[in-house]
Amino acid sequence: MSAIPSVNLEDFISGDKKRKEKFIKEIGSAFEDIGFVALSGHFLSEKLVEDLYTEIKNFFNLPQEVKDKYEIPDIGGQRGYTSFGKEHAKGRKEGDLKEFWHFGQYVENNPKLEKAYPPNVMVEELDHFDETGKKTYKMLEKTAKYVLRALALHLDLDETYFDEYIKNGNSILRPIHYPPIKEEPKNAVRAAAHGDINLITLLMGAHGKGLQVKNHEGEWVDAIAKPDQLMINVGDMLSRLTNNKLKSTIHQVVNPPKELWGTSRYSVPFFMHPISEMPLNCLENCVDDEHPKQFEDITAGDFLHERLIDLGLIKK
């Protein structure tokens, strides 16, 4: 496959049976073939997108000493600010050429999870940063819920199979700033080749060249969304759950041509995570003689912990 397929979520929620079935077939096939789709018809308004980019640019333009006070020790970067070059891809030592922020779950009616998750970090210097981040988080979470409902039907599960696991899930909204490149990087890129940890990722800001996806032939394919589209991909948790029926595809963000080194890049992925107790045991209907079980049983929480160690965000 040499291009990323496009789908429209409005087909799924239209109330029209044929349009709904069309969406399920299209997104299911795309996630089996390459693990990525470009999705329109989501719940983000143009104004909310504009407001978010304004706020994240305002934050990353703050003096470094101001940003540094929002880097919270001992929580593996799960909330607040993570400074430039701190995260690296699994198996690499070179830090990625990025800094980022994390908004986490806004827990509803679950005191146990409120205590379990780190609290969100409030930015004193910007009046609308926190509120805009929360609104964006909620709209992306809503979009992800319907995408997962479509995938549940594709997998011959109940439509609401994922609902109980993603309610109050440990999802993360990550505004990323890739600063201008000031000198020749030594083996470092903006985001080295990796697979995502979570169930699915919804990415804002894939509107120019940079994001690349590795197809089954081992070729790198440019993943460029239209202005009204989100790029959505399968994460490792969903790949494990489906015994690799739905593919968690390796992707990267490459450095721009040298003439564009002086420019920043911003992107905003939403990592849809379930609650920690969700079992990622391979679904029975994804295992047969031709497709033997590929993964050991594990919970989402234990799998996340293992991967955060791999990424260098927490210590063993």
Side-chain angles (χ1 to χ4, degrees):
M1 182 172 285
S2 59
I4 305 300
S6 293
V7 296
N8 189 333
L9 187 60
E10 289 178 359
D11 289 334
F12 184 74
I13 59 178
S14 65
D16 182 311
K17 184 179 178 182
K18 287 187 177 179
R19 288 180 66 186
K20 184 174 183 177
E21 289 174 351
K22 173 176 176 282
F23 180 86
I24 294 166
K25 183 178 180 180
E26 287 175 345
I27 198 166
S29 296
F31 280 176
E32 288 188 27
D33 291 340
I34 197 167
F36 268 74
V37 293
L39 179 131
S40 56
H42 49 75
F43 296 103
L44 291 174
S45 67
E46 283 186 36
K47 183 177 187 309
L48 182 54
V49 173
E50 289 173 7
D51 289 348
L52 181 72
Y53 277 105
T54 296
E55 292 303 320
I56 64 175
K57 288 175 183 178
N58 287 341
F59 175 78
F60 289 120
N61 283 333
L62 290 171
Q64 190 62 46
E65 61 268 21
V66 174
K67 292 186 287 187
D68 285 344
K69 74 178 184 178
Y70 294 112
E71 189 155 19
I72 312 300
D74 302 323
I75 61 169
Q78 293 179 73
R79 301 291 185 272
Y81 177 63
T82 297
S83 52
F84 182 82
K86 186 158 285 187
E87 184 181 70
H88 60 77
K90 180 179 178 181
R92 287 181 69 108
K93 295 180 180 177
E94 300 85 10
D96 290 342
L97 304 179
K98 66 189 181 191
E99 56 180 344
F100 55 89
W101 180 271
H102 275 165
F103 297 97
Q105 182 60 266
Y106 302 88
V107 178
E108 297 174 358
N109 303 318
N110 192 321
K112 180 182 174 184
L113 282 180
E114 280 188 49
K115 290 181 179 178
Y117 296 157
N120 274 301
V121 178
M122 304 293 122
V123 176
E124 300 170 356
E125 291 78 7
L126 302 172
D127 292 338
H128 304 292
F129 181 81
D130 305 308
E131 176 191 1
T132 304
K134 182 177 181 179
K135 286 180 180 176
T136 305
Y137 186 106
K138 289 294 187 182
M139 291 300 101
L140 287 168
E141 187 176 48
K142 183 178 180 181
T143 300
K145 179 176 76 172
Y146 284 100
V147 170
L148 286 171
R149 284 183 175 182
L151 294 176
L153 292 170
H154 175 70
L155 295 165
D156 296 322
L157 303 169
D158 289 338
E159 182 171 340
T160 57
Y161 173 86
F162 291 100
D163 284 21
E164 65 175 303
Y165 297 122
I166 62 173
K167 181 175 174 57
N168 289 326
N170 196 15
S171 300
I172 292 287
L173 178 65
R174 173 189 279 194
I176 303 172
H177 175 220
Y178 303 101
I181 297 171
K182 296 177 180 176
E183 58 186 35
E184 185 76 44
K186 295 178 181 178
N187 298 320
V189 294
R190 285 183 158 175
H194 64 284
D196 291 341
I197 301 170
N198 41 291
L199 290 171
I200 56 173
T201 300
L202 289 70
L203 176 66
M204 304 168 60
H207 303 143
K209 279 198 170 186
L211 177 64
Q212 294 184 333
V213 178
K214 185 179 273 191
N215 66 18
H216 295 341
E217 288 73 48
E219 303 161 331
W220 287 106
V221 177
D222 287 325
I224 303 175
K226 295 176 182 175
D228 67 335
Q229 290 179 324
L230 301 172
M231 198 65 73
I232 303 187
N233 64 278
V234 177
D236 291 347
M237 288 185 183
L238 188 57
S239 181
R240 288 184 77 102
L241 183 72
T242 64
N243 199 34
N244 213 29
K245 179 181 176 74
L246 304 183
K247 302 291 191 295
S248 177
T249 308
I250 299 297
H251 52 286
Q252 63 184 3
V253 179
V254 296
N255 298 333
K258 200 162 188 177
E259 62 268 22
L260 296 177
W261 277 11
T263 60
S264 284
R265 177 187 174 99
Y266 298 90
S267 66
V268 189
F270 177 78
F271 300 111
M272 169 57 87
H273 282 265
I275 56 174
S276 295
E277 293 82 4
M278 180 181 181
L280 299 180
N281 310 346
C282 297
L283 295 166
E284 289 183 8
N285 59 357
C286 294
V287 178
D288 55 33
D289 291 341
E290 291 184 20
H291 305 92
K293 185 178 177 182
Q294 297 184 44
F295 304 103
E296 296 295 319
D297 294 351
I298 194 170
T299 64
D302 287 342
F303 182 66
L304 174 62
H305 185 78
E306 286 181 7
R307 289 295 299 276
L308 290 177
I309 292 172
D310 290 338
L311 296 176
L313 289 175
I314 61 175
K315 305 296 182 187
K316 285 187 179 181

